[in-house]
Amino acid sequence: MTETKTRSPERRVAAGAIASLRQELFQNVLDYRPLGPLGTDGPVIRRLPQTVRKGVVWFPHAVVGLVALISLTEGVFAANSYSPFGIATVITAFLPAVTLLMTLVRPVLAFWVSIASTPVVAVVGSGGWPWGATAFACHLGVLIVAAARTRPPAAAWMWFVTLVVGSFLENIGGHSSTSTTFAMAFVSAFALLVVTVVQTRRDAKQEVTVQRTVTAVERDRRTLLEERTTIARELHDVVAHHMSVVAIQAEAAPYRVENPPPELEQAFATIRENAVAALTELRRVLGVVRADDQEAPDAPQPTLAELDRLLDNVRETGLETEKTVTGAVRTLPQGVELSAYRIVQEALSNTLRHAPGASAKVEIGYVLGGLGLRVVNGPAKGLVKPSPGAGHGVTGMRERVAMLNGEMTAGPAEDGGYEVAVFLPVPAEREHTEEEVAA
């Protein structure tokens, strides 16, 4: 029987630290990761002229190159001061500068090269121990660029490894009077802290942006589903009314004809059975789209004939409303009447919310091919601030218009207000009066 051994908390912490070190600084060390240009949508870059913007996006590359060039120049002069140009110059001047440039393509590998070259540069060169002026600037630049291009845990490990290597070289070198380990530890800690804070803030903003986008998409989708559910309930009332009329007329038709033939009676019976079956199926489908806590409205659905009552209610809230009707007024299909009423209702509600103190005009045009609607309001007036909205009202209006294969435009007007224009097509054969349907 194998005895299970439980790790102590200290061993688990140590194992987790080693796993984190291996993941951050040893995995994918040789990956080729060129640093791309900055985005042009930043808060500063997007305000610059187009010609300047093309060059500013390469600002990080220019800074790294400039620091490498200055360090290289300083290293060459320092090396030539105590020996002719040779291998010492290459090691003390060129190697740190090239390592810094390497961070633009392979940041983690550049860190390890800088760490490995630290004792070599310290032995060959002169000045501080273990980092002279050139090596100090280049290794600090490597830490900053590598930390900016990796995750915050990698930055912490890079600082820790730098501190360990610096302390080890300081103890074996015997240069305590010229030691630069403390300065490197302090300056790099502050620089890496700034980089980590900026990086964390940037990642948080990106996450918030993603979450806002997902929330907006889900909110729009939920709005569409709710509006379609509402339309489905209203369509039930429209279709159920006409199907009921069909069933009743099919049942009563044989009694209006003296001695009807059996074929006619059977035809009307079949029509009635199909109408009743359609009503049953319609109620079943409506039961799927209706929420459990919502009931179908008991009152009849509104039509354009009740638009004056809606305008009176709106005027009581302080919104000055004017109504204009053109064309020959006639009864349209109930679905068109209901959708037109709801569109006007929603447009006026948006005026109350987004343009308090403004006046509104409602124009209804009866044309040969359908119905035209136009609701326009002026700019907001007074001290009342507009209420923020999410565009759900416009989304609902577009859903109704799309259901009837109509056209809709909505947008700011020239005077600073808002305009909604809709056309709902009605085929000529469907433009019947209620008397003709019931006959």
Side-chain angles (χ1 to χ4, degrees):
M1 182 176 180
T2 304
E3 183 178 348
T4 305
K5 297 182 179 180
T6 304
R7 288 185 177 182
S8 64
E10 293 81 5
R11 293 187 61 184
R12 288 198 298 268
V13 171
I18 295 175
S20 175
L21 174 63
R22 183 168 57 251
Q23 178 182 1
E24 300 296 342
L25 296 186
F26 289 97
Q27 291 183 355
N28 305 321
V29 174
L30 300 178
D31 285 354
Y32 180 68
R33 296 170 49 200
L35 178 63
L38 296 174
T40 57
D41 56 346
V44 177
I45 297 181
R46 65 187 178 189
R47 292 184 173 88
L48 300 176
Q50 184 67 26
T51 55
V52 179
R53 195 182 308 169
K54 294 180 179 179
V56 173
V57 295
W58 300 102
F59 178 75
H61 306 73
V63 171
V64 174
L66 180 61
V67 173
L69 179 61
I70 295 175
S71 300
L72 175 62
T73 305
E74 176 66 23
V76 169
F77 281 117
N80 291 339
S81 64
Y82 59 86
S83 66
F85 185 87
I87 188 65
T89 304
V90 174
I91 293 176
T92 59
F94 283 86
L95 183 57
V98 172
T99 305
L100 178 58
L101 293 176
M102 191 187 300
T103 57
L104 299 178
V105 290
R106 289 184 170 91
V108 179
L109 178 61
F111 167 75
W112 285 119
V113 171
S114 182
I115 286 292
S117 63
T118 295
V120 179
V121 175
V123 171
V124 176
S126 63
W129 179 272
W131 290 283
T134 301
F136 189 99
C138 288
H139 186 70
L140 181 62
V142 168
L143 287 176
I144 294 174
V145 178
R149 303 196 59 202
T150 55
R151 302 192 309 164
W157 280 116
M158 290 178 187
W159 180 85
F160 178 75
V161 172
T162 298
L163 180 62
V164 171
V165 171
S167 301
F168 176 76
L169 294 177
E170 179 182 342
N171 292 329
I172 67 172
H175 298 276
S176 58
S177 59
T178 59
S179 174
T180 56
T181 302
F182 176 78
M184 174 63 73
F186 178 79
V187 176
S188 62
F190 178 77
L192 295 182
L193 178 61
V194 173
V195 171
T196 302
V197 170
V198 173
Q199 189 178 35
T200 303
R201 184 173 179 271
R202 180 192 61 195
D203 294 341
K205 289 179 64 176
Q206 292 178 351
E207 182 66 23
V208 169
T209 302
V210 171
Q211 291 298 327
R212 286 179 177 175
T213 303
V214 172
T215 302
V217 171
E218 292 297 328
R219 183 172 59 244
D220 292 342
R221 184 180 302 173
R222 185 174 63 251
T223 301
L224 291 178
L225 292 177
E226 292 175 353
E227 187 63 29
R228 288 172 181 174
T229 302
T230 302
I231 293 173
R233 299 191 195 104
E234 296 174 348
L235 281 178
H236 167 264
D237 298 328
V238 175
V239 179
H241 166 73
H242 292 290
M243 294 302 294
S244 299
V245 172
V246 170
I248 294 173
Q249 289 182 340
E251 185 176 8
Y255 298 100
R256 297 184 179 183
V257 180
E258 185 176 357
N259 298 323
E263 295 81 1
L264 183 60
E265 292 183 353
Q266 182 61 36
F268 280 117
T270 302
I271 293 174
R272 183 181 183 280
E273 291 175 359
N274 290 334
V276 173
L279 281 173
T280 303
E281 184 67 16
L282 182 63
R283 293 190 180 98
R284 184 188 68 81
V285 174
L286 184 65
V288 174
V289 299
R290 175 181 290 133
D292 295 337
D293 59 344
Q294 293 178 331
E295 298 293 337
D298 296 331
Q301 296 299 321
T303 63
L304 289 177
E306 303 178 30
L307 191 59
D308 290 335
R309 184 185 305 173
L310 171 65
L311 298 180
D312 291 339
N313 291 335
V314 171
R315 292 188 185 101
E316 291 179 358
T317 64
L319 175 62
E320 298 181 5
T321 308
E322 178 183 350
K323 172 187 171 184
T324 304
V325 179
T326 59
V329 179
R330 61 189 183 278
T331 302
L332 301 176
Q334 189 172 357
V336 176
E337 293 260 353
L338 175 61
S339 295
Y341 181 91
R342 295 300 189 196
I343 290 172
V344 174
Q345 184 182 41
E346 185 60 38
L348 294 177
S349 298
N350 288 342
T351 301
L352 290 172
R353 285 193 297 266
H354 305 304
S359 58
K361 295 181 180 180
V362 178
E363 299 177 3
I364 303 175
Y366 290 87
V367 296
L368 183 60
L371 179 70
L373 299 174
R374 182 173 178 267
V375 181
V376 58
N377 62 266
K381 299 179 181 179
L383 301 178
V384 181
K385 295 183 179 180
S387 301
H392 294 172
V394 176
T395 301
M397 287 188 282
R398 293 191 187 278
E399 280 289 301
R400 293 182 180 275
V401 173
M403 179 188 67
L404 298 173
N405 296 323
E407 299 178 358
M408 172 179 166
T409 59
E414 295 181 356
D415 61 350
Y418 201 81
E419 178 181 357
V420 177
V422 175
F423 177 74
L424 302 177
V426 179
E429 61 270 14
R430 296 185 58 188
E431 298 186 5
H432 300 301
T433 62
E434 291 295 332
E435 289 79 8
E436 291 173 334
V437 173

